[in-house]
Amino acid sequence: MNRLVKAEIFRLKKSLPFWILLSLALAVMPLFFCLDILGEKLNVQLESISMTVFISVMVIPAIIAYISGRIYGKGRIGYYEIMAGNPIRNIILSKVFVEGSIFSVTYMLSLSLYYIIIGIVNGLGTIDIPFARLGLFFVVVMRICICSVLIMMAVRSSSFGAGIAYLRFMLFDSAIVPGIMYLVNEAGLEKLYEHLQYSIVLNQLMMSAIGQINKTLACHIIIGFAAEFILWYFIVYYGMKKKKYH
């Protein structure tokens, strides 16, 4: 496992400068939406976060999958690692651990750094439990990053993986689930409608930032991340196992 992690870090270094530059670009993006309210407290400036979140979720998953796919060499590296006798579990987890953690931390900083500075300099305003909000926000960011890596591993292609990751976090969250919610609302299933609303990744980011923090939101964020991770993990595992024996 240690050897796989070191190898993954070595391969990641080639793409890290590009990822850092992209993160820096995302970090300054909130500034453009808040130019006219720079002196306001955090709660006022967070009202502009929806556009920042939308643009980042629209772009980042595809970029993560593409970069991860380039490192993965269209699946060849994974195949060689299997042939070398490494357990499939270790191959998957090493990639998730290295790329998932690095992408998650830099993505989190790029999205939240401006607002953290504003909170320190101008004050929080009406924003409560800021550390709990940051924690939940980070869990959602981890879900986006780690699942994007797993999606790429599932299809073993940088370009196709980027397309699937984009569709997962845009089409699914912005069209499919809202469509189901419309039907559920028409049927008068209020509780199910509420849970579906909590399940959308974009909504989870927004609610973590400016919504009401409650047990339902926390459970959806944590359980949703765990469930999707397990789903993609087994898809990747099955694909690699099949590749190994056939």
Side-chain angles (χ1 to χ4, degrees), residues 65-174:
Y66 183 79
I67 293 175
S68 183
R70 299 293 293 180
I71 296 169
Y72 198 51
K74 297 181 180 180
R76 291 192 299 269
I77 290 175
Y79 179 74
Y80 296 148
E81 287 173 340
I82 290 174
M83 292 299 99
N86 294 294
I88 294 174
R89 177 189 67 254
N90 289 356
I91 296 171
I92 298 173
L93 293 180
S94 64
K95 193 164 185 67
V96 167
F97 176 76
V98 174
E99 294 177 20
S101 60
I102 291 176
F103 290 156
S104 296
V105 170
T106 52
Y107 182 21
M108 176 69 180
L109 287 175
S110 68
L111 280 181
S112 60
L113 183 60
Y114 170 80
Y115 296 105
I116 290 173
I117 293 173
I118 289 298
I120 294 172
V121 175
N122 295 354
L124 300 178
T126 58
I127 295 296
D128 59 343
I129 50 175
F131 293 108
R133 292 181 182 278
L134 278 174
L136 291 174
F137 196 92
F138 185 55
V139 173
V140 184
V141 166
M142 287 178 61
R143 177 179 180 177
I144 293 171
C145 296
I146 290 174
C147 288
S148 296
V149 172
L150 289 173
I151 287 170
M152 184 285 306
M153 294 186 75
V155 299
R156 291 186 290 275
S157 166
S158 54
S159 300
F160 190 40
I164 297 297
Y166 172 83
L167 292 175
R168 157 62 190 93
F169 289 102
M170 285 305 301
L171 179 63
F172 185 79
D173 279 4
S174 300

Side-chain angles (χ1 to χ4, degrees), residues 217-233:
L217 174 62
C219 287
H220 270 282
I221 288 175
I222 295 170
I223 295 174
F225 175 26
E228 187 167 7
F229 174 83
I230 292 170
L231 171 65
W232 286 112
Y233 175 88

